Amino acid sequence: MAYQWLSSILLLALGVSGCSGIILQNIADLTKLKLSFDFIIVGGGTAGNVIANRLSECPDHSVLVLEAGGSDDNVLNIQMPFFAPRATPGTPQDWNYTTTPQTALNGRSLPYPRGFVLGGSSSVNYMVYTRGSKEDFDRFSKVSGDSGWSWDKLVPYMQKNERFVGASDHHNINGQYNPAVHGFSGINSVSLAGFPSPIDSRVIQATTQLKEFPFNLDMNSGSTLGMGWGQSTIKNGTRSSSSTSYLAPEFLSRPNLHVLLNARVTRILKTSTGAFQTVEFVQDLNGAFHPHEVVLSAGSVGTPNILMHSGIGNPSKLTSLGIKPLVNLPSVGQNLSDHTLLFLSYFVNSTDTWETWERSPTLTQQLLNQWSTSRTGQFVDLPLNHLGFFRIPTLVNQFKDPASGPGTSHYELIVSNGLLGPPPPTGNFMSVSCAVVAPTARGSVTLSSSNVLADPVINPNLLGSPADVFIMREAIKSSMRFASAPAFAGYVLSPNGLNFNSTDAEIDAFVRANAGTVFHPAGTASMSPKGATWGVVDPDLRVKGVSGLRIVDLSVAPFIPAAHTQAATYIIAERAADLIKSIWGENDLQVVLKTQYIYTEVGKH
Ligand SMILES: Cc1cc2nc3c(=O)[nH]c(=O)nc-3n(C[C@H](O)[C@H](O)[C@H](O)COP(=O)(O)OP(=O)(O)OC[C@H]3O[C@@H](n4cnc5c(N)ncnc54)[C@H](O)[C@@H]3O)c2cc1C
Ligand SMILES: *[C@@H]1O[C@H](CO)[C@@H](O)[C@H](O)[C@H]1NC(C)=O
Ligand SMILES: *[C@@H]1O[C@H](CO)[C@@H](O)[C@H](O)[C@H]1NC(C)=O
Ligand SMILES: *[C@@H]1O[C@H](CO)[C@@H](O)[C@H](O)[C@H]1NC(C)=O
Ligand SMILES: *[C@@H]1O[C@H](CO)[C@@H](O)[C@H](O)[C@H]1NC(C)=O
Ligand SMILES: *[C@@H]1O[C@H](CO)[C@@H](O)[C@H](O)[C@H]1NC(C)=O
């Protein structure tokens, strides 16, 4: 992508224009509107679009979203749930990052996809919707010293996010979820699987046969332990992202909400008042804006990257790269946490698995046509119907319990009616894949140079601790016990790549050669108590020691929840919107507007 660094002067006129909110492709279109903005949100991703929606509920708040990527409209692999794994990596909707060589994974570098598109990672993720455990959020509250981050206080925000809509095929969902714990009038649609899988009944049967894998009616109840029906951000067989939901046409018609695509923010500049309130970005033309609050929602990779280029981070490291340190916050980019994933599949005695149609272009086309015309069939779902979260009782004999509490899991099992990834020429499979959801290893996002357009250095340090290796090994043994339940007798034949009697050494070698990530980076701009010597933001998500700048995305999570992370991101953002609104009441705003809107000079480098 080529950016031109041209010089220009941009006039930001005071006053709210009468024209309606809109998604724009070009800075020239935006300047023609002669608008001013009270809030600029950097990153129209999962969290960013929540903030944009909620702040623009107030007609006096004018809001601009700057999104580096393009539109999510009409991208089949984004809209059609089953093809979500094809939406990244290496597509026009991906940032195309790769990790550093991972020491615990035979030195392999892994693709590290992040959504480069409106909706961010919510437009390209696999749509699993799991809030995490009550204890996960209560730990946020404990670590930050703000009870507002506890589960009980966040329940209203969970409900503001969620619009539970049943299943795409309208099947009877009684007994597959607990209506009492859901939100039915929120913004982001959530549903149960809309296409039955031939292994569904065996999975449910196994939960009644093996005490180790109890049935969990609803993992979004705060209590995640057990195996149950997956819930996902899908409506009528189509992805629900922060773009399709929080930026739906009914919201985009607000005159005070604007979105500029293809606008990549490079730095947040310090203004004469000392605040960090000028947003520098590049497009065909470069520009700068000076709102009264900047909200960084660029995600766990993008946010620390922008902070460090802006001089906010570890002073000696910034100096060594030739970046002038302005704010001493060594935690920026540190404490990166992620979940390690291993695809584990089993040969099965059946041809009724995905492989059969995946190997047939004719059958694939039929399913695609079916989805396109009626939103029915296999493609309405993501590639899994069941998942479960579990603990390893013996872990505490060797390690300090890394989970947020005794009711929170160490690992996850994900059940699929086929192999994840391209199918081999022969064989039919069931997967019971494994993820470490209580990792103790921490990685980092750092800079390699002062070039604002260079990729940051991403080291998630997957399985970088003995406890994490132990959890993965035990998760694999657990997967094999599950696949050996009587319900799978005569169906599951043998593990693919391992065998039921593999030794620990064989399992560990298999993991080093095959493990990857669930793409859940968190914690690179962590919240910590006000006045703490570590952390990046206060519990109200304002950057420590800086005025005018807030962070709202998954990077502020002080610990990674033991769950897929989009729900936590939405929940954090919903509360953050209220925190911002509580500061900038309508009256305050008028005063600030009068004093802060002036010419902004851009393009000086
Ligand atoms: C392939 C994949 C699969 C996943 N599967 C699941 C799943 O099934 N379930 C689940 O719960 N979670 C899943 N996740 C994780 C989940 O999607 C993320 O945790 C969550 O979306 C993070 O939200 P965020 O707001 O922090 O960041 P994002 O949603 O990534 O938003 C960041 C936004 O900022 C933009 N941006 C970044 N830098 C700049 C810049 N310099 N200037 C302007 N804009 C910028 C980006 O383009 C992006 O739009 C998955 C993630 C991926 C990548
Ligand atoms: C990622 O790679 C794809 C395919 O080459 C490309 O279209 C896209 O622009 C790249 N993303 C970025 C952020 O450069
Ligand atoms: C990492 O997080 C822990 C809390 O989990 C904190 O004590 C520590 O100081 C953090 N480290 C950095 C470098 O921020
Ligand atoms: C679901 O999508 C199909 C196909 O686009 C459409 O015909 C149908 O009206 C939609 N149903 C609902 C309830 O929106
Ligand atoms: C495969 O299933 C058939 C019944 O569908 C059964 O007769 C046969 O024994 C099974 N094969 C194995 C190896 O279990
Ligand atoms: C695995 O071990 C069990 C007993 O622990 C034995 O019954 C079985 O035959 C062994 N299977 C293989 C494939 O070695």
Side-chain angles (χ1 to χ4, degrees), residues 44-103:
T46 314
N49 293 337
V50 174
I51 302 297
N53 178 304
R54 295 302 184 188
L55 294 188
S56 63
E57 280 177 344
C58 168
D60 284 351
H61 291 175
S62 58
V63 175
L64 173 67
V65 177
L66 296 174
E67 166 55 42
S71 168
D72 56 325
D73 271 356
N74 298 318
V75 183
L76 180 70
N77 292 344
I78 286 182
Q79 292 175 340
M80 190 168 71
F82 202 83
F83 278 7
R86 304 184 189 190
T88 61
T91 62
Q93 290 80 35
D94 186 14
W95 280 88
N96 305 325
Y97 296 131
T98 45
T99 70
T100 60
Q102 295 298 287
T103 313

Side-chain angles (χ1 to χ4, degrees), residues 450-463:
S450 60
N451 174 356
V452 289
L453 298 180
D455 280 0
V457 180
I458 306 169
N459 177 13
N461 196 13
L462 297 170
L463 298 185

Side-chain angles (χ1 to χ4, degrees), residues 86-127:
R86 304 184 189 190
T88 61
T91 62
Q93 290 80 35
D94 186 14
W95 280 88
N96 305 325
Y97 296 131
T98 45
T99 70
T100 60
Q102 295 298 287
T103 313
L105 304 181
N106 291 344
R108 287 179 294 127
S109 288
L110 307 171
Y112 212 61
R114 303 273 85 207
F116 176 68
V117 60
L118 196 59
S121 297
S122 76
S123 288
V124 300
N125 70 17
Y126 298 177
M127 291 160 283

Side-chain angles (χ1 to χ4, degrees), residues 331 334-335 534-535 559:
S331 292
Q334 299 300 304
N335 266 341
W534 65 282
F559 280 90

Side-chain angles (χ1 to χ4, degrees), residues 207-365:
T207 66
T208 65
Q209 295 170 334
L210 302 179
K211 280 202 178 58
E212 184 187 350
F213 306 98
F215 179 66
N216 184 336
L217 176 61
D218 204 314
M219 275 165 249
N220 282 329
S221 63
S223 167
T224 56
L225 297 180
M227 176 71 76
W229 296 86
Q231 299 172 15
S232 51
T233 42
I234 293 174
K235 177 191 181 185
N236 190 25
T238 312
R239 176 191 296 269
S240 174
S241 67
S242 75
S243 170
T244 67
S245 62
Y246 283 87
L247 295 185
E250 61 184 298
F251 304 120
L252 276 176
S253 64
R254 291 177 184 159
N256 57 336
L257 173 58
H258 288 78
V259 179
L260 181 62
L261 300 177
N262 314 311
R264 180 162 165 182
V265 170
T266 43
R267 295 185 298 174
I268 311 295
L269 306 175
K270 206 167 171 172
T271 58
S272 52
T273 62
F276 280 76
Q277 272 174 314
T278 299
V279 179
E280 175 194 69
F281 65 98
V282 288
Q283 214 199 16
D284 300 332
L285 287 168
N286 60 329
F289 282 117
H290 178 183
H292 90 207
E293 200 172 293
V294 175
V295 180
L296 259 182
S297 296
S300 293
V301 174
T303 286
N305 186 44
I306 294 169
L307 286 173
M308 290 183 283
H309 281 297
S310 306
I312 303 173
N314 184 320
S316 59
K317 290 193 180 143
L318 294 177
T319 305
S320 70
L321 291 168
I323 298 169
K324 189 177 170 206
L326 299 174
V327 181
N328 176 8
L329 284 177
S331 292
V332 171
Q334 299 300 304
N335 266 341
L336 170 62
S337 308
D338 198 0
H339 294 150
T340 305
L341 175 70
L342 179 82
F343 290 155
L344 184 55
S345 58
Y346 299 83
F347 290 97
V348 297
N349 180 15
S350 165
T351 53
D352 194 4
T353 69
W354 304 334
E355 286 74 28
T356 298
W357 60 259
E358 278 176 331
R359 293 187 186 113
S360 157
T362 315
L363 290 175
T364 301
Q365 189 58 48

